[in-house]
């Protein structure tokens, strides 16, 4: 209660503004309005006076896609030089929470807790699809095959109720990490056990490297997954939302998004940075930095256009790795490259650099960073898919008169 006036529930506040609850939370994540947590830590309440003030102000969308459709989203936002997941600091979440908890927060603000395991038949289909491809096929292509195979055998794939979609999503992520073939000698020599080994990060570790799954190393992979879970309305997100707008099932939405990762903009530079670090380890950082500067006066994996003051996600992952790197010798090569590259000018490693530092020091293949991105971003794509299912169907089709269409929110 504020000044004797009762606070409004989420439904009441959304009705007062004439928007959907998802749009209401988008306003919260952007700092346009505040909310009060209920005693249970889950329910949200709003000050009616603040809502009335908000109603008198012009609204702007959270993101604008090139389709002419305005897409407000409460999933994530870049604000104050930081990434926020539904109003919470993404870097802090990734460092302190499991990837499963991050995904759950993006989907339902953490309620209910989900089990990231899948039916045996899903895992069997995933393994069959992933291993049927030739040995030299990229991890990303195996992931695509898994998504298509599991979607094909799921008899309930067309159940688009939110509670059903989240169960589907958790099962799909589990099928991906459990269906991909393990790395040679994965997990030999002991290592992490218990919750770390059973987590999504722990299971994915054995797919990507034969290095023993030490708890700190698996923790770094978990942080990377959390940091990569979402990044606003990107091209891959739009692809997922277009599929969801046509009321395609979640597997189709994720599949559509996965194909945008073949473009250089969506796939990032982690593979290039990984190969650069391999060269720096063998040829020396000075020689590699000098060659790159001679070629283009640019070093891959530095400076992000959306973070003028430096990518906080990159710093967060580098800090986690520095505390206890998977391989001390390779980490020294990373530090030498950073020190050489920074000579005489400020350079801020991006998340792509941090992921490459992880894959390089952990003995993963160069395309492992793209696979980590694909698994992680499933969480964000599903969150946006859930939002899109709540919108009017087929809203991305241009109207006959060419006028701009808006979200119902």
């Amino acid at each position: 209660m504020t000044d004797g006036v009762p606070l409004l529930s989420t439904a009441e506040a959304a009705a007062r503004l004439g928007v959907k609850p998802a749009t209401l939370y988008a306003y919260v994540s952007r700092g346009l309005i505040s909310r009060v947590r209920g005693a249970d830590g889950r329910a949200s309440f709003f000050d009616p006076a603040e809502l009335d003030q908000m109603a008198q102000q012009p609204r702007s969308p959270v993101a604008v896609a090139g389709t002419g459709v305005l897409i407000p989203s409460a999933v994530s936002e870049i604000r104050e030089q930081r990434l926020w997941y539904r109003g919470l600091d993404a870097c802090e979440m990734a460092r302190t929470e499991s990837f499963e908890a991050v995904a759950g927060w993006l989907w339902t603000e953490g309620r209910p807790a989900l089990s990231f395991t899948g039916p045996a038949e899903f895992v069997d289909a995933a393994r069959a699809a992933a291993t049927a491809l030739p040995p030299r096929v990229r991890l990303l292509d195996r992931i695509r095959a898994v998504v298509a195979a599991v979607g094909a055998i799921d008899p309930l794939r067309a159940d688009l109720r939110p509670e059903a979609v989240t169960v589907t999503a958790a099962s799909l992520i589990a099928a991906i990490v459990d269906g991909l073939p393990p790395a040679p000698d994965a997990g030999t020599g002991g290592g992490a056990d218990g919750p770390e080994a059973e987590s999504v990060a722990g299971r994915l570790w054995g797919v990507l490297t034969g290095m023993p799954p030490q708890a700190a190393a698996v923790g770094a992979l978990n942080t990377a997954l959390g940091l990569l879970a979402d990044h606003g309305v990107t091209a891959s997100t739009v692809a997922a939302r277009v599929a969801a707008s046509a009321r395609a099932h979640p597997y189709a939405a994720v599949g559509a998004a996965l194909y945008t990762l073949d473009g250089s903009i969506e796939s990032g530079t982690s593979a290039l940075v990984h190969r650069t670090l391999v060269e720096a380890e063998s040829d020396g950082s000075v020689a590699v930095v000098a060659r790159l500067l001679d070629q283009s006066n640019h070093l891959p994996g530095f400076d992000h256009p959306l973070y003028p003051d430096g990518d906080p996600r990159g710093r967060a992952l580098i800090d986690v790795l520095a505390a206890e790197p998977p391989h001390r010798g390779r980490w020294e090569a990373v530090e030498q490259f950073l020190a050489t590259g920074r000579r005489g000018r400020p350079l801020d490693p991006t998340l792509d650099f941090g992921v490459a530092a992880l894959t390089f020091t952990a003995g993963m293949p160069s395309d492992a960073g793209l696979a980590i991105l694909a698994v992680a971003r499933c969480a964000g794509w599903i969150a946006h898919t859930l939002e899109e299912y709540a919108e009017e169907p087929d809203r991305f089709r241009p109207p006959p008169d060419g006028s701009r269409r808006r979200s119902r929110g």
Side-chain angles (χ1 to χ4, degrees), residues 17-314:
L17 288 178
V19 300
K20 296 173 60 61
T23 304
L24 180 68
Y25 284 120
Y27 294 156
V28 172
S29 69
R30 296 171 64 203
L32 298 177
I33 57 175
S34 59
R35 64 175 167 179
V36 177
R37 289 284 189 184
D40 61 359
R42 296 180 176 181
S44 298
F45 297 93
F46 299 85
D47 181 355
E50 188 178 14
L51 295 172
D52 291 342
Q53 183 178 7
M54 174 70 185
Q56 298 173 5
Q57 298 175 356
R59 300 175 190 159
S60 59
V62 172
V64 180
T67 60
V69 179
L70 304 185
I71 307 177
S73 175
V75 178
S76 69
E77 181 194 18
I78 299 169
R79 173 171 47 85
E80 299 170 353
Q81 294 291 303
R82 303 202 56 91
L83 176 64
W84 305 86
Y85 289 161
R86 294 195 183 277
L88 297 184
D89 188 314
C91 292
E92 184 64 21
M93 287 197 75
R95 282 193 299 259
T96 60
E97 301 285 351
S98 68
F99 168 69
E100 294 90 325
V102 171
W105 177 256
L106 292 177
W107 298 341
T108 64
E109 292 195 345
R111 54 184 191 275
L114 295 166
S115 173
F116 281 68
T117 57
E121 58 268 29
F122 285 15
V123 177
D124 290 343
R127 287 175 178 164
T131 57
L133 298 172
R136 296 182 63 85
V137 166
R138 298 176 305 167
L139 286 164
L140 176 63
D141 292 311
R142 295 187 194 279
I143 290 172
R144 289 173 178 154
V146 166
V147 173
V150 177
I153 68 166
D154 184 355
L156 302 178
R157 63 184 181 179
D159 189 345
L160 305 187
R161 294 173 300 147
E163 58 271 24
V165 171
T166 56
V167 172
T168 295
S171 297
L172 173 59
I173 292 174
I176 292 172
V177 298
D178 295 334
L180 292 173
D185 302 321
T188 60
D193 54 18
E196 291 90 356
E198 296 302 319
S199 67
V200 168
R203 287 140 62 194
L204 183 60
W205 180 271
V207 169
L208 301 177
T209 179
M211 184 178 291
Q214 300 296 335
V218 173
L221 177 55
N222 178 78
T223 297
L225 289 166
L227 292 168
L228 287 165
D230 199 57
H231 202 227
V233 183
T234 65
S236 63
T237 300
V238 172
R241 294 191 77 128
V242 169
S245 176
R247 293 304 182 262
H249 53 71
Y251 300 99
V254 169
L258 279 170
Y259 276 95
T260 69
L261 297 187
D262 266 332
S264 59
I265 293 176
E266 285 288 292
S267 63
T269 60
S270 65
L272 174 58
V273 176
H274 179 111
R275 293 191 293 269
T276 301
L277 292 173
V278 171
E279 293 178 13
E281 183 184 31
S282 61
D283 301 339
S285 295
V286 173
V288 173
V289 169
R291 175 177 59 79
L292 291 170
L293 294 178
D294 284 342
Q295 290 176 348
S296 62
N297 194 35
H298 175 73
L299 299 179
F302 295 92
D303 300 324
H304 196 294
L306 298 181
Y307 302 100
D309 295 337
D311 187 345
R313 304 169 302 158

Side-chain angles (χ1 to χ4, degrees), residues 311-352:
D311 187 345
R313 304 169 302 158
R315 289 196 297 268
L317 185 52
I318 290 292
D319 288 345
V320 169
L321 286 167
E324 194 171 346
H327 189 285
R328 181 63 61 180
R330 294 190 190 121
W331 181 252
E332 291 175 356
V334 173
E335 290 184 319
Q336 290 172 5
F337 184 85
L338 284 170
T340 304
R342 283 170 168 159
R343 183 180 300 173
R345 60 178 180 175
L347 288 173
D348 294 299
T350 64
L351 180 54
D352 280 350

